[in-house]
Amino acid sequence: MKGLHIQGLSHSYGDNKVLDNAGLIVPAGELVCMLGPSGCGKSTLLRLAAGLEKVQHGKIIIDDVTVGSADVHLPPEKRHIGLMFQDYALFPHLNVIDNVTFGLLDMAPDKARLLAMDMLTQVGMAAQSDKFPHMLSGGQQQRVALARALAPEPKLLLLDEPFSGLDTNLRETIREETLSVLKNSGVATLMVTHDPEEAMFMADRIKIIGANGHILQAGRPHEIYYHPTHEFVARLFGMMNRFEGVAADGQVETPLGAVATDLADGTPAEVLIRPEGVILGTSDNNQGTTVEVTSSHLMGHDNIVRVRLGNGEGEDLHVRVHHTFEAELKESFSCRLDHEYAFVFPLDAESEYTNTELMDAPTSEEISAAGE
Amino acid sequence: MVELSEDFKLQYEALDSDHQKLVEMVNEISGMLDEGCAEDCKAKVVEFINFTKAHFAREEQLLTKSGYPNVENHSRHHKALDKKMDHLLEFASMVTVNELACDSLKKELVFFVMDDVISSDLDFKSFLENIPS
Ligand SMILES: Nc1ncnc2c1ncn2[C@@H]1O[C@H](COP(=O)(O)OP(=O)(O)O)[C@@H](O)[C@H]1O
Ligand SMILES: [Fe+2]
Ligand SMILES: [Fe+2]
Ligand SMILES: [Mg+2]
């Protein structure tokens, strides 16, 4: 298969087993994101794929050639890969064009120059070709790094948190530009990130990693968001409303109504509901559960409204509404569920990942604090 | 075109031949889409999914019979692919009216067969090496 194939990769640093039988494929032309919490072994896997570290167990295959295994170790420069790592910065003593031609030493110099200029044009940096890295902004350095990685026409591009050094506004722009350059080049790309939104935006396919490089779920961004198969995955994309219950007759009761499940009757369950899955309506039509607004605050271009269930029991719910919807304090609404955003998981599921520090998503405590 | 290279093989004939057949079906569906025969593709996707489910059942039976210790995990993995197969069917229903669905279906089939189905079986490759095939 053209592209990258990682098989049964296990890796330890001393007694610390960082990867345990990790595997994945990146077909030519596709962009796969590995998304996982800090310390789960993402960078280790990327360094092994790049050849910056030797394989202890398992296999790394690029375009049907085994480049790394317990017996084989092809050095990075022989793997036909492009790298963009945080700690793999531009060479400070070389100007932009020399940085980009650096990987083209096998080529006739004038040809290499032409190719490099072409790459720099693609990333919008042709005019800066004789500048030195310290004369460039962070975003410009990033564009040059991308040009350098792609110039030798690698079979595989490995990106390790490539945008994490950039501030929020710039990050979005550079992300978009990078994505369009990558899609044009058709190179197989494996990108590592701990930012769920970044993975959503960039990836053809997301691989969610828990502890030990263990894959929890793989799928299109849409699939991961709307059909999480694991509680940890559901929680990645921001705060959740949560109820506990017991499965009976194919559903679990919540104060907002029953949610369908295929858990066996009698299984203790938790129901997680995204804030956009709670729908507020006027309270006089007598449908749904009555709730009272306890706070409201702007988050991005939405309002997050906190509401309390009518009986005054339990925690407040978070509701995502359009920013033009301004709820008054103590105002009453009726409240119902959009089942597309409600997920049921067994309560006794291996709690292996539930304590893992969640990623960039704000916690409900942070949201509460912001509103007070 | 995808192919079942040596690296994806379990060296266990009964399962490898199923996998081979799955890969061939994926290539066939891709070919139909490329040649503009989208109408016939839905039936082929249904056939592919039925074969996949039958394969999962055969594989789980074999693993159980041979005493593979993680058979329950692997069955759970197969079960979790039900939703994905539903999505494949959805895409297949849309290919005649939507070119994007066509691309998505081709892409999803490759990931499904190579990554979700075949690569994940490599977990028990070394176990199978020690039982007669
Ligand atoms: N060179 C190293 N020596 C020892 N331990 C390491 C080394 N590199 C990484 N680790 C450890 O391996 C684990 C995984 O690290 P890493 O792959 O960098 O995770 P991630 O990129 O997902 O944050 C961490 O516990 C880290 O401390
Ligand atoms: Fe299989
Ligand atoms: Fe399987
Ligand atoms: Mg890292």
Side-chain angles (χ1 to χ4, degrees):
Chain A
M1 193 198 75
K2 290 265 182 263
L4 170 70
H5 182 198
I6 288 177
Q7 253 180 33
L9 209 56
S10 295
H11 202 83
S12 304
Y13 295 107
D15 290 341
N16 183 8
K17 191 162 195 179
V18 177
L19 295 175
D20 185 10
N21 203 17
L24 62 82
I25 66 161
V26 187
E30 306 291 337
L31 196 161
V32 174
C33 266
M34 281 200 296
L35 173 64
S38 213
C40 72
K42 304 180 297 294
S43 295
T44 303
L45 189 140
L46 229 54
R47 281 200 308 274
L48 285 161
L52 300 172
E53 196 130 7
K54 281 198 173 146
V55 171
Q56 295 169 349
H57 251 279
K59 240 184 193 183
I60 292 161
I61 301 151
I62 300 174
D63 281 9
D64 286 323
V65 176
T66 300
V67 297
S69 72
D71 320 309
V72 179
H73 181 77
L74 218 61
E77 64 276 14
K78 296 239 167 88
R79 292 190 179 196
H80 303 287
I81 49 171
L83 301 179
M84 256 174 92
F85 287 9
Q86 279 160 283
D87 47 1
Y88 233 68
L90 298 174
F91 305 115
H93 60 289
L94 296 181
N95 66 14
V96 164
I97 186 91
D98 290 343
N99 259 286
V100 180
T101 51
F102 187 83
L104 305 172
L105 295 178
D106 294 344
M107 217 178 261
D110 49 343
K111 213 174 146 205
R113 233 189 126 74
L114 263 175
L115 182 69
M117 278 313 283
D118 182 41
M119 273 320 304
L120 286 170
T121 308
Q122 278 191 48
V123 300
M125 287 297 292
Q128 280 85 6
S129 65
D130 54 0
K131 296 237 166 78
F132 282 84
H134 72 267
M135 302 157 82
L136 304 177
S137 68
Q140 290 175 323
Q141 291 185 23
Q142 201 76 9
R143 292 187 184 121
V144 175
L146 181 63
R148 182 179 66 174
L150 288 175
E153 298 188 344
K155 294 172 178 165
L156 171 71
L157 189 62
L158 299 170
L159 309 177
D160 194 351
E161 314 239 0
F163 312 114
S164 60
L166 305 171
D167 67 44
T168 321
N169 286 331
L170 189 58
R171 191 155 61 210
E172 283 176 18
T173 318
I174 299 279
R175 237 187 235 167
E176 269 176 55
E177 290 173 1
T178 304
L179 188 58
S180 98
V181 172
L182 289 179
K183 284 288 143 191
N184 274 333
S185 76
V187 66
T189 305
L190 178 60
M191 179 174 121
V192 151
T193 180
H194 68 276
D195 177 351
E197 278 186 25
E198 185 160 296
M200 283 292 224
F201 179 78
M202 301 281 291
D204 294 306
R205 181 170 165 101
I206 299 177
K207 285 234 158 187
I208 311 251
I209 328 270
N212 296 44
H214 178 96
I215 286 154
L216 294 179
Q217 189 176 357
R220 284 170 298 120
H222 186 279
E223 230 174 301
I224 302 275
Y225 192 81
Y226 287 98
H227 303 283
T229 55
H230 198 289
E231 184 228 351
F232 175 81
V233 177
R235 285 178 182 276
L236 278 177
F237 299 96
M239 59 185 155
M240 281 287 198
N241 297 300
R242 181 176 183 279
F243 298 104
E244 288 186 11
V246 176
D249 297 328
Q251 50 186 32
V252 180
E253 284 295 338
T254 78
L256 301 182
V259 181
T261 175
D262 49 18
L263 291 178
D265 281 6
T267 312
E270 68 177 328
V271 180
L272 297 178
I273 303 163
R274 295 203 193 284
E276 57 267 48
V278 183
I279 311 208
L280 298 182
T282 49
S283 61
D284 42 272
N285 63 7
N286 247 351
Q287 284 191 330
T289 314
T290 306
V291 294
E292 188 183 286
V293 173
T294 58
S295 73
S296 169
H297 33 264
L298 202 58
M299 281 269 298
H301 64 49
D302 291 332
N303 264 339
I304 296 291
V305 178
R306 255 172 46 171
V307 298
R308 184 156 300 164
L309 285 164
N311 59 12
E313 272 175 37
E315 286 185 24
D316 289 359
L317 299 179
H318 293 101
V319 187
R320 185 187 296 278
V321 294
H322 193 257
H323 65 89
T324 52
F325 180 103
E326 285 186 68
E328 299 287 334
L329 218 61
K330 303 229 160 155
E331 197 175 349
S332 279
F333 288 97
S334 77
C335 189
R336 61 183 179 83
L337 264 184
D338 180 346
H339 290 263
E340 205 172 13
Y341 299 98
F343 315 109
V344 180
F345 300 103
L347 199 53
D348 60 350
E350 338 87 85
S351 56
E352 189 180 349
Y353 305 104
T354 43
N355 290 329
T356 314
E357 193 65 23
L358 289 177
M359 305 173 198
D360 285 348
T363 62
S364 52
E365 286 74 28
E366 279 166 353
I367 299 284
S368 309
E372 271 143 25
Chain B
M1 276 282 280
V2 277
E3 57 183 309
L4 195 66
S5 48
E6 282 306 303
D7 288 306
F8 285 97
K9 287 197 181 144
L10 297 167
Q11 308 305 343
Y12 192 93
E13 175 52 30
L15 297 180
D16 283 337
S17 64
D18 273 4
H19 290 171
Q20 179 64 40
K21 164 115 186 190
L22 287 171
V23 168
E24 281 164 16
M25 288 173 100
V26 164
N27 286 331
E28 203 178 329
I29 296 167
S30 271
M32 288 164 90
L33 293 168
D34 289 340
E35 284 157 23
C37 311
E39 291 82 17
D40 311 329
C41 136
K42 171 112 194 244
K44 197 79 206 171
V45 172
V46 171
E47 195 186 320
F48 170 78
I49 286 173
N50 289 337
F51 189 85
T52 305
K53 288 184 173 165
H55 164 68
F56 286 170
R58 277 193 288 276
E59 187 174 284
E60 285 168 29
Q61 202 180 17
L62 171 84
L63 292 175
T64 308
K65 201 181 74 194
S66 357
Y68 178 58
N70 293 325
V71 63
E72 229 174 88
N73 266 336
H74 198 70
S75 302
R76 215 176 305 132
H77 170 70
H78 287 164
K79 181 85 188 109
L81 297 177
D82 276 354
K83 257 269 144 43
K84 243 182 231 288
M85 290 190 260
D86 292 345
H87 292 150
L88 291 175
L89 268 182
E90 272 170 46
F91 282 131
S93 321
M94 291 190 290
V95 288
T96 46
V97 287
N98 185 337
E99 212 159 299
L100 271 180
C102 206
D103 282 342
S104 301
L105 179 59
K106 281 196 274 187
K107 210 183 255 192
E108 279 306 296
L109 281 168
V110 171
F111 276 120
F112 180 77
V113 76
M114 299 310 281
D115 206 26
D116 297 324
V117 177
I118 298 176
S119 283
S120 62
D121 287 354
L122 295 168
D123 287 357
F124 52 77
K125 180 173 177 161
S126 58
F127 172 81
L128 289 179
E129 274 164 10
N130 299 313
I131 63 166
S133 96

